[in-house]
Amino acid sequence: MAKRVAVIGAGSSGLTSIKCCLDEGLEPVCFESSDDIGGLWRFKEKPEADRCSIYRSVIVNTSKEMMCYSDFPVPDHYPNFMHNSMIVQYFKLYAEHFNLLKHIYFQTTVRSVRQRPDFSDSGQWDVVTVDRDGQEETHVFDGVLVCAGHYTQPIKPLSDFTGIDTFPGTIIHSWEYKDPDPYLGKRVVVVGIGNSGGDIAVELSRACEKTFLSTRKGAWVIGRMVGRGLPLDMTMVRRVRDLIYGLLPRALLNWFGERSLNQRHDHKLYGLQPAHRLLDQRTIINDDLPGRILVGKLVMKPNVQKFQGSTVVFDDGTVEEKIDAVILCTGYDYRFPFLPASLNSGSDGDMKLYRRVFPPSLERPTLAIMGLLQTKGPIMPAVELQARWATRVIAGLNHLPPAEKMDKIIEKDIQANLKSYPCPKLAALQVDYIPYLDTIAKEVGVCPNIAWLLLRDPAVGLRVFFGPCTPYQFRLSGPGHWRGARQAILTQWDRVAKPMKTRPIPEPSSFSLFFWLGLSGGAAVIFALMCLYGITFGSIKMNVTL
């Protein structure tokens, strides 16, 4: 009889977890508290407690070829960087293609997940749910995959701002922000320069009388496209680049990268210059931020020192009066209230996870957390690999090392990140993109063998090593092998070009090309003969004259 696995959430992590369960012969039962799939990427007019929330205009920062599921490319006519509504459309295509919807119970909330009395032997869990009618039910599962997301608990550090209680305007978190309409003609301070802070500040600067972006440390800013207008991640996230970066001194790489970014716009001149070096933390991806600063609609400011009514005083002593609203883009915490409190055993309240997936404290590895990580790359391919690994562990096909070894690896990973992220809880979330993918892929048995590929299939091997690290390369061989992976790799740039080919531009015909080449070549020959004739005739004339 197939093992039953509870999948909590039907967003990007939950959908791929359902499919991975089916691939490994498990029986998934997915509980989704809302009435549809999509998770984080579903826009709603009003935020809901303990759920992710996005603003209307959100466009993803990772390109479609890099963020797609490894055996289901995004349709070629979709734009390279998709609006949130198109991402949800893609999820629906994926769910329909693999027949996933029948495994999902909508408007069903998970109240608690607890180990059964015989857990040390069975590894089973009691899962209590409440349906749309308020009916409570207890289920028994052989495994649990938590796919509930971690952008659910907005951090609002109001106590950090002296005099905040005297401010008469509105104060919200970016979690509550939906569109710029309520701020038309107003003066707004945006606090925090993460991706959300940059996006919201740019959007407000087109509607507000004045927008101020306050940042404590600054940020390195880069656009979605780089040389020749190609997607940033497809150019930068490559195995060969990781190899070269591993061989060169970090100081040199920082110098070169910062110099390159400053060629586009001088970060010091624009008030963006961060306290950290380029490679120490994630860059901010924003196409329009420098331009809005250049036209004066967006003004960079240091950290907010205090409030005096509607006046805001900044750390450099500057003052801005008649501020109408403050939007806090100050990040998120995460919590899974339905899980046993004992799982929150890491330093600083972090959920201690082996390879950011498995709690090492469990006697049986039958519970996994999906997507609880941060990286300089798209999250979806990493989560898909996590799900492929977790389902194989729950199915008994893969095994984890002893708890002591897992604890040592977890601590080592945290220590490696503490220099860039002093908060242990934040440091624990960070992973290096390609090395992390390869680590999980090796556990599954699907990490591409570059040397073998170069010998056996050079066309693919060269693209895997020198080209973008697209997810298809983890379907070339091993468990879950997809026959279409090779063709997907060979045609990935075609899908990049497809949505931009909306205006026919005639190519020079071969006849025309050869005609002009022939004409120019003939002209060159005639010119050379004329020169030769002139020299010869001149020599004869000189001889005759003499």
Side-chain angles (χ1 to χ4, degrees), residues 385-420:
L385 279 169
Q386 287 181 337
R388 293 172 72 181
W389 180 33
T391 50
R392 290 181 62 80
V393 170
I394 292 172
L397 301 172
N398 285 61
H399 303 281
L400 302 183
E404 298 79 15
K405 184 175 181 180
M406 289 192 283
D407 284 332
K408 289 180 180 178
I409 291 174
I410 292 169
E411 188 58 31
K412 181 181 177 183
D413 290 341
I414 293 174
Q415 291 299 320
N417 293 323
L418 280 176
K419 182 178 179 181
S420 298

Side-chain angles (χ1 to χ4, degrees), residues 59-203:
I59 293 175
V60 70
N61 282 332
T62 52
S63 65
K64 66 178 182 180
E65 288 299 297
M66 298 295 291
M67 68 171 286
C68 67
Y69 294 118
S70 59
D71 53 358
F72 194 74
V74 175
D76 58 2
H77 65 280
Y78 277 37
N80 284 284
F81 292 94
M82 295 181 284
H83 183 261
N84 59 83
S85 60
M86 299 201 77
I87 295 175
V88 175
Q89 288 178 26
Y90 170 66
F91 290 159
K92 290 183 176 181
L93 292 174
Y94 178 79
E96 290 167 4
H97 182 78
F98 292 109
N99 200 18
L100 307 180
L101 295 176
K102 67 179 182 180
H103 301 283
I104 304 174
Y105 290 81
F106 291 106
Q107 294 185 320
T108 304
T109 302
V110 173
R111 282 282 175 83
S112 71
V113 175
R114 296 292 183 270
Q115 294 137 303
R116 288 180 60 77
D118 63 344
F119 179 80
S120 58
D121 294 323
S122 67
Q124 291 182 325
W125 299 84
D126 284 324
V127 177
V128 179
T129 63
V130 178
D131 66 17
R132 68 190 71 187
D133 299 319
Q135 296 296 313
E136 190 173 279
E137 186 176 356
T138 300
H139 315 258
V140 177
F141 286 100
D142 300 291
V144 177
L145 299 177
V146 179
C147 309
H150 65 281
Y151 295 108
T152 57
Q153 310 299 319
I155 297 173
K156 298 178 74 170
L158 298 180
S159 60
D160 291 355
F161 305 112
T162 303
I164 190 71
D165 55 323
T166 69
F167 181 66
T170 59
I171 302 174
I172 66 168
H173 191 275
S174 57
W175 180 79
E176 303 166 79
Y177 174 84
K178 293 300 174 182
D179 56 54
D181 293 350
Y183 307 96
L184 184 64
K186 296 185 177 182
R187 292 166 60 85
V188 180
V189 173
V190 178
V191 179
I193 196 175
N195 283 322
S196 293
D199 283 350
I200 291 172
V202 164
E203 184 168 81

Side-chain angles (χ1 to χ4, degrees), residues 305-325:
Q305 183 185 95
K306 61 182 178 180
F307 287 83
Q308 296 174 333
S310 62
T311 298
V312 179
V313 181
F314 298 91
D315 277 351
D316 62 350
T318 57
V319 174
E320 295 297 339
E321 300 177 340
K322 299 180 180 178
I323 299 300
D324 299 294

